[in-house]
Every structure is written in C-alpha cells, then in structure tokens.
C-alpha cells in the first residue's frame, strides 16, 4: 500500500510517500531499457519530512544530489540506498556551511537547481545553499539549457557579447548549434534587433547572386557541398570585414542561415533552373537519348518532352544514385556517341563510334577520359553533350585516350 504524504506543484520534484508503514522519498529519473521512466524510492525520517515541507531550497538541493545516484543505477540497476540516505542529514538538517561543504565532495545535478531559479554566480562560487534563496517550484528548462550552452562555449574559450548572443537567439541556435537556423526577430531584445538586422543585411548583400544548386548524385533533395562552402566562405569574409568584433559562433550562425535558406530555395526550384545555370540554350533536340545506370536500369528521353533532357537525366540520377550505383550513361544511339559519368572518381568518359562492326563483331569505339570538377562540372558536361554531342565537349577537356595517362592525372589531382 502506497500513500502520498507530501507533493509539490511540480510533478518532477520528489514526493514523500508512506509505504509499508514507513516514509520514503520517491522520484522519477532516468529510463529503463524500453525508454520508460524509472522510479526510485529510499527511506527518510519524520525530521526529514518536516524540512522538506517547509524548506523548498533544501528539498531541491536533496533532489539535485540524489539524481546522480539514479543515473548510476542505469536502465536496470538498483539505487544505492545507503548513499541516498547518507545525503539526508547533511542536506536537510545541517548548517548552510556544512551543506556547501558536502556539495564540494559529492556529484550533483547543476541544471536542476538552475532551472528552479538558483543564483548562477553563487553556484559557481560554491555557495549552493545561498544560491537557492530565490528558488521556485516551477521550472524554467531553457534557463538551464542556456547555462549549459554557455558552459560548453566557455570550455572552447568563447564568451558571447550582447550582439553575439542576440544573433544566436535570432537564428534559434543559442541553445543548440545543430538546430536548423531560422529567423526569429520576436525572440530578440528589441534594443538589439536593429544591430542584428544590420548584420543580417551584410550577409544578404554578400551572397546576393550566389546560389546552392542541387546535387542529384547524393539524392533527389541533396544540395551541392561546393556551392554551400563557397557561400559560407563569402559570407564569413564579409561579416568579419564589416563586424570584426563578432565571435566565430555568431559569424557561423549567420552563414548557416544564409546557406540553409539558399538550399531550401534550390530544393523547391525545378531542375530546369539548374540547366539554365549550366548555360543550356533551350534549342529543341531532335533525337532520342537513353539514360542508364550501373544496374542496367534504363530511361528514355524523347524529342517533344516538355522537360529538357538534362532535367530528366538529373532526376533519373537523383532517383537511382547510391553507393554501388555511381556510374551513369547518356547515349545518343543515332549519332553513335555517349558519355559515361563516374561519380565515384569525379571523372567522365566520352565514347564515339568510329567504325561499324562487321560479321557480327562489335563496333569500334574511341574512348577518351577527363577529370570533372564537382557537380557544376558534371552539369556543364551533360548540358554541352545534349546541345552538341561529343564534339561540343572539346572545350571541357583535356581529354586523354591513354588510360595510364588518365590514371596518373587522377592520382595527381587526388593528392593535391
């Protein structure tokens, strides 16, 4: 039989229960192997109950010191009741100086106290009892998150100024740097918002005209890493020139905002726009093309298709590209030529028929290889081939027919 003897407003602060005729402190902490919350109990006395009822600060301090013991129990271990009971008298019944001394010896959960209003400066100075004078039953989890975020930055040697903090707040990245940034002007102190918007305007001007294209080699919605890096470098440089006092975290969050917004625009833009970027002139093509991947899957593009051949090809790549499927071919059977893209090696081969096979023999082909500079290079090659076949690729060389020479060139590039 279990009866609740005392509970506070917050359901997470430990309750006092009576079980089997004795008083116990009961708290939820951690999780079991199935991610369900675990509940722990350990015995207390009447004197402890009296302090818990009257002194919120000491109640919270006890909770903070017991939580590490719950963590140590893991997903299925037992609470070390002896260690928990040993905390009761020093925290609940002793003088403030003895409480502070105990907290210098035992582990405790700092975030719990900060979330319930602890004075952070006093906590840092080891005056934990005094730090809880303004403690509240209600919890402010973001206050604790902010504290931990600042501590992580301090460990890296980063101290935020007011404008730095405001920029991180504006992008929603103050607490979690991995969060996708967004624009949250209402979250910023109105007095600092004009300065924040001036910094944002600097970044917007710096990346005007830049874009982040899609990279179908990595999936239908993937974006070009090189474009992302180019925009990051451009924005970072402009920010450091115009606002040299900003810390790296602030510069990084604004660059991340610009890049993520550009990437979102690209994901929502038809692939034909990528073809415009590559210089596709829009002339109608009068011959069919076939696209194949390394798994012998084929797709045909026919003249009159409302979508351009490059757009159809890159959609095919986005749907089919994967580890182990990184070779794609575009073939113009009527002209007897094609190109083969080797995504795993950043290279391409152009293949031209130079003689018809006789007596059932295969035709004779000329195969030439070239290195490719990232996704933009592939995009240019595909568009050029669609416009003018293999002859249009001359300017995209150099082209090497000797395989050994090509391999040497590839190794030199990869070693740079």
């Amino acid at each position: 039989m279990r009866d609740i003897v005392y509970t506070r407003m917050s359901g997470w602060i430990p309750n006092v229960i009576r079980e089997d005729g004795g008083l116990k402190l009961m708290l939820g902490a951690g999780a079991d192997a199935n991610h369900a919350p675990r509940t722990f109990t350990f015995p207390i006395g009447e004197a402890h109950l009296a302090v818990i009822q009257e002194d919120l600060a000491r109640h919270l301090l006890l909770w903070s010191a017991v939580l590490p013991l719950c963590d140590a129990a893991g997903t299925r271990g037992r609470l070390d009741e002896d260690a928990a009971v040993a905390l009761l008298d020093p925290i609940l019944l002793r003088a403030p100086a003895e409480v502070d001394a105990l907290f210098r010896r035992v582990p405790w959960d700092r975030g719990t106290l900060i979330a319930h209003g602890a004075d952070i400066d006093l906590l840092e100075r080891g005056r934990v009892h005094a730090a809880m004078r303004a403690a509240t039953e209600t919890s402010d989890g973001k206050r604790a998150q902010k504290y931990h975020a600042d501590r992580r930055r301090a460990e890296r040697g980063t101290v935020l100024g007011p404008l730095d903090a405001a920029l991180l707040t504006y992008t929603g990245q103050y607490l979690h740097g991995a969060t996708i940034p967004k624009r949250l002007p209402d979250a910023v102190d109105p007095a600092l918002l004009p300065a924040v918007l001036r910094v944002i305007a600097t970044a917007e001007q710096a990346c005007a005209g830049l874009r982040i294209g899609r990279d179908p080699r990595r999936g239908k919605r993937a974006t070009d890493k090189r474009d992302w890096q180019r925009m990051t470098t451009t924005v970072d440089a402009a920010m450091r020139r115009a606002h040299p006092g900003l810390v790296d975290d602030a510069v990084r969050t604004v660059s991340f905002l610009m890049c993520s917004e550009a990437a979102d625009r690209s994901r929502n833009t038809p692939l034909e726009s990528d073809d415009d970027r590559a210089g596709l002139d829009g002339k109608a093509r009068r011959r069919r093309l076939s696209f194949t991947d390394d798994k012998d899957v084929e797709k045909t593009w026919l003249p009159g298709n409302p979508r351009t051949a490059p757009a159809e090809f890159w959609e095919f790549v986005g749907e089919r590209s994967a580890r182990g499927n990184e070779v794609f071919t575009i073939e113009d059977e009527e002209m007897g030529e094609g190109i083969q893209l080797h995504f795993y090696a950043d290279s391409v081969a152009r293949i031209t028929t130079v003689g018809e096979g006789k007596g059932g023999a295969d035709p004779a082909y000329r195969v030439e290889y070239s290195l490719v500079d990232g996704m933009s290079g592939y995009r240019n090659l595909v568009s050029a081939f669609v416009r003018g076949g293999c002859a249009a690729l001359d300017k995209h060389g150099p082209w090497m027919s000797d395989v050994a020479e090509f391999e040497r060139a590839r190794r030199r590039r990869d070693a740079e």
Side-chain angles (χ1 to χ4, degrees):
M1 183 71 178
R2 174 182 291 180
D3 296 316
I4 294 179
V5 175
Y6 180 72
T7 185
R8 290 192 180 273
M9 181 189 309
S10 169
W12 284 104
I13 300 176
N15 299 323
V16 178
I17 63 170
R18 191 176 299 278
E19 188 174 53
D20 300 328
L23 292 175
K24 291 184 179 181
L25 196 72
M26 181 177 72
L27 69 157
D32 62 19
N34 296 318
H35 307 290
R38 296 199 69 191
T39 299
F40 299 94
T41 63
F42 61 95
I44 66 171
E46 294 288 350
H48 304 134
L49 171 60
V51 175
I52 286 172
Q53 290 174 318
E54 297 298 327
D55 195 329
L56 171 63
R58 288 185 186 254
H59 191 180
L60 293 171
L61 287 168
L62 177 61
W63 183 25
S64 170
V66 173
L67 281 173
L69 298 177
C70 298
D71 292 339
T75 59
R76 61 183 65 183
R78 294 174 60 85
L79 177 70
D80 185 342
E81 287 193 6
D82 291 340
V85 170
L87 295 170
L88 292 171
D89 285 0
I91 294 176
L92 298 179
L93 305 179
R94 303 281 169 78
E98 294 181 72
V99 175
D100 293 347
L102 174 72
F103 273 71
R104 288 193 289 270
R105 299 194 306 270
V106 301
W108 49 285
D109 190 273
R110 194 178 300 260
T112 295
L113 301 184
I114 292 171
H116 284 271
D119 184 304
I120 293 174
D121 181 59
L122 290 175
L123 279 186
E124 298 286 0
R125 289 157 52 193
R127 298 181 58 194
V128 293
H129 186 274
M132 300 306 293
R133 286 173 184 161
T136 61
E137 285 195 37
T138 55
S139 172
D140 182 356
K142 286 191 175 180
R143 185 171 188 256
Q145 290 177 331
K146 180 178 180 296
Y147 170 79
H148 288 304
D150 288 338
R151 284 201 71 175
R152 289 193 298 270
R153 292 189 183 97
E155 289 169 358
R156 294 188 279 109
T158 298
V159 178
L160 301 180
L163 182 54
D164 300 314
L167 284 165
L168 289 162
T169 301
Y170 179 85
T171 62
Q173 288 201 300
Y174 192 105
L175 302 181
H176 305 289
T179 303
I180 296 175
K182 43 193 169 290
R183 300 189 185 223
L184 302 169
D186 292 342
V188 179
D189 181 345
L192 287 170
L193 185 57
V196 167
L197 295 179
R198 283 194 293 271
V199 174
I200 298 298
T202 297
E204 290 173 334
Q205 292 166 9
C207 63
L210 297 180
R211 67 190 297 275
I212 296 178
R214 278 194 258 177
D215 188 348
R217 297 173 299 174
R218 298 189 296 117
K220 293 186 69 172
R221 291 181 58 79
T223 51
D224 192 328
K225 290 183 178 179
R226 289 195 180 191
D227 286 351
W228 187 294
Q229 185 57 51
R230 186 181 303 113
M231 184 174 288
T232 296
T233 301
T234 301
V235 173
D236 282 4
M239 297 261 291
R240 295 186 192 285
R241 284 194 304 269
H243 311 281
L246 294 176
V247 301
D248 288 347
D249 287 27
V251 173
R252 191 180 303 115
T253 196
V254 176
S255 295
F256 193 5
L257 175 67
M258 297 297 113
C259 290
S260 17
E261 289 182 341
D264 281 343
R265 289 192 294 271
S266 177
R267 292 186 187 103
N268 295 316
T269 299
L271 277 168
E272 281 82 356
S273 294
D274 284 341
D275 300 335
D276 293 339
R277 179 188 182 191
L280 191 64
D281 59 14
K283 293 179 181 178
R285 184 180 177 87
R286 294 182 174 84
R287 293 185 303 276
R288 71 194 296 272
L289 294 173
S290 62
F291 312 143
T292 55
D293 66 2
D294 212 20
K295 305 296 182 182
D296 296 325
V297 174
E298 183 174 357
K299 181 177 183 179
T300 300
W301 180 88
L302 297 172
N305 189 312
R307 299 187 69 198
T308 64
E312 288 284 328
F313 172 73
W314 289 121
E315 182 172 284
F316 177 67
V317 171
E319 292 171 346
R320 299 289 306 163
S321 183
R323 187 177 297 276
N325 193 24
E326 299 178 281
V327 177
F328 286 78
T329 301
I330 308 177
E331 186 176 0
D332 183 332
E333 294 183 10
E334 184 178 336
M335 291 296 293
E337 57 186 21
I339 55 173
Q340 189 175 71
L341 314 181
H342 312 131
F343 294 148
Y344 65 90
D346 283 335
S347 64
V348 63
R350 67 174 177 178
I351 305 162
T352 309
T353 303
V354 294
E356 295 295 331
K358 296 180 180 180
D362 291 335
Y365 298 106
R366 180 173 65 250
V367 182
E368 300 166 290
Y369 303 91
S370 184
L371 301 174
V372 181
D373 186 17
M375 186 60 208
S376 61
Y378 278 120
R379 194 177 289 120
N380 289 336
L381 282 164
V382 168
S383 294
F385 178 78
V386 168
R387 285 197 306 272
C390 283
L393 301 178
D394 287 343
K395 65 180 180 180
H396 294 280
W399 295 92
M400 293 161 269
S401 56
D402 184 272
V403 175
E405 177 189 2
F406 169 69
E407 285 299 323
R408 287 193 295 272
R410 189 166 69 87
R411 286 195 294 270
R412 285 195 300 270
R413 179 203 59 190
D414 294 344
E416 293 176 355

